[in-house]
Amino acid sequence: GAGVSQSPRYKVAKRGQDVALRCDPISGHVSLFWYQQALGQGPEFLTYFQNEAQLDKSGLPSDRFFAERPEGSVSTLKIQRTQQEDSAVYLCASSSRPQQTGTGVSYEQYFGPGTRLTVT
Amino acid sequence: DAKTTQPPSMDCAEGRAANLPCNHSTISGNEYVYWYRQIHSQGPQYIIHGLKNNETNEMASLIITEDRKSSTLILPHATLRDTAVYYCIVRVSGTASKLTFGTGTRLQVTL
């Protein structure tokens, strides 16, 4: 079946512009995560939704970052007044209801390909 | 979540087993060891996870020491397609919790 999709795959923005990044999770997945990955680093958590509720936004680096998931499916990450330090790959991941496995409860996260944002 | 330590890079010949170590000396009793990998220009991909017993699936095997302070991910017959950054992550199960990635191990599989 279809995996997690993200659009656009690449975005170039001039410093000060607003951008909106879209994530389409796997159909029926309850949990949705956003991560930011700087060049040469591992992904870093930004925010988490369970259905339409944003349960954790502790990783958002500033109040210029805003995420929403109004109907509990598609999510948008918005960055206002972009700065050069916002240049990174933005990854979205979704997770279904917990799966009981032989190794306990699994919360496997499925990642999209990411959106590479370059702020010039 | 507990901090993990991995070597920054490793090489492996194609067809050989790749053994990727991870130290997690401060792991708590309710924390699992997860492995993800990230192939260039793609999002991370789940590989395997375990609590204290050794685990095996179609992709890899996970060996966790008896004291749970370290683990090894084993790719039994590495191929060029296994070239990627491998992340060892420790996290509490029972929650749909965030993943805390480190810098991982960059595995280069060569001919």
Side-chain angles (χ1 to χ4, degrees):
Chain A
V4 177
S5 61
Q6 293 186 244
S7 61
R9 288 294 314 277
Y10 303 91
K11 176 70 178 178
V12 178
K14 290 187 187 303
R15 183 168 166 266
Q17 283 184 331
D18 298 348
V19 298
L21 312 179
R22 177 187 169 105
C23 172
D24 284 81
I26 294 173
S27 178
H29 274 197
V30 170
S31 299
L32 186 144
F33 300 79
W34 284 99
Y35 294 83
Q36 179 190 58
Q37 185 171 24
L39 190 64
Q41 303 295 315
E44 292 193 357
F45 169 79
L46 293 177
T47 187
Y48 159 60
F49 289 85
Q50 185 172 14
N51 296 307
E52 68 278 4
Q54 189 174 18
L55 299 185
D56 186 350
K57 51 183 180 179
S58 62
L60 296 176
S62 77
D63 58 8
R64 296 186 296 105
F65 287 70
F66 172 76
E68 60 183 7
R69 194 186 185 199
E71 297 178 359
S73 55
V74 171
S75 178
T76 304
L77 176 67
K78 297 179 179 178
I79 308 173
Q80 297 177 324
R81 304 181 304 280
T82 53
Q83 304 294 316
Q84 283 192 318
E85 61 263 27
D86 300 334
S87 295
V89 174
Y90 290 85
L91 294 160
C92 175
S94 70
S95 175
S96 67
R97 294 188 184 281
Q99 305 287 330
Q100 186 68 43
T101 71
T103 325
V105 178
S106 172
Y107 291 85
E108 179 181 340
Q109 292 185 21
Y110 296 85
F111 283 79
T115 294
R116 181 177 296 279
L117 172 66
T118 302
V119 181
T120 60
Chain B
D1 292 341
K3 182 178 172 63
T4 62
T5 304
Q6 300 176 251
S9 63
M10 293 183 64
D11 291 331
C12 179
E14 190 175 35
R16 297 284 196 174
N19 298 284
L20 292 92
C22 179
N23 287 323
H24 32 78
S25 58
T26 59
I27 192 170
S28 300
N30 63 344
E31 289 180 317
Y32 287 67
V33 180
Y34 280 74
W35 284 83
Y36 279 73
R37 73 179 183 183
Q38 188 172 24
I39 295 169
H40 184 62
S41 295
Q42 297 183 19
Q45 175 192 24
Y46 167 82
I47 301 172
I48 198 167
H49 78 284
L51 181 63
K52 55 183 178 182
N53 298 319
N54 298 338
E55 302 292 339
T56 295
N57 64 19
E58 65 279 4
M59 290 184 67
S61 294
L62 174 60
I63 309 296
I64 302 174
T65 57
E66 192 168 343
D67 64 8
R68 302 207 324 121
K69 293 185 176 182
S70 65
S71 60
T72 301
L73 178 75
I74 300 172
L75 308 178
H77 305 287
T79 72
L80 296 178
R81 287 191 299 272
D82 293 321
T83 293
V85 178
Y86 288 77
Y87 295 99
C88 169
I89 298 166
V90 172
R91 80 198 266 235
V92 176
S93 190
T95 65
S97 60
K98 64 187 180 185
L99 296 169
T100 302
F101 293 84
T103 51
T105 295
R106 183 173 298 278
L107 175 68
Q108 180 69 53
V109 181
T110 57
L111 291 171

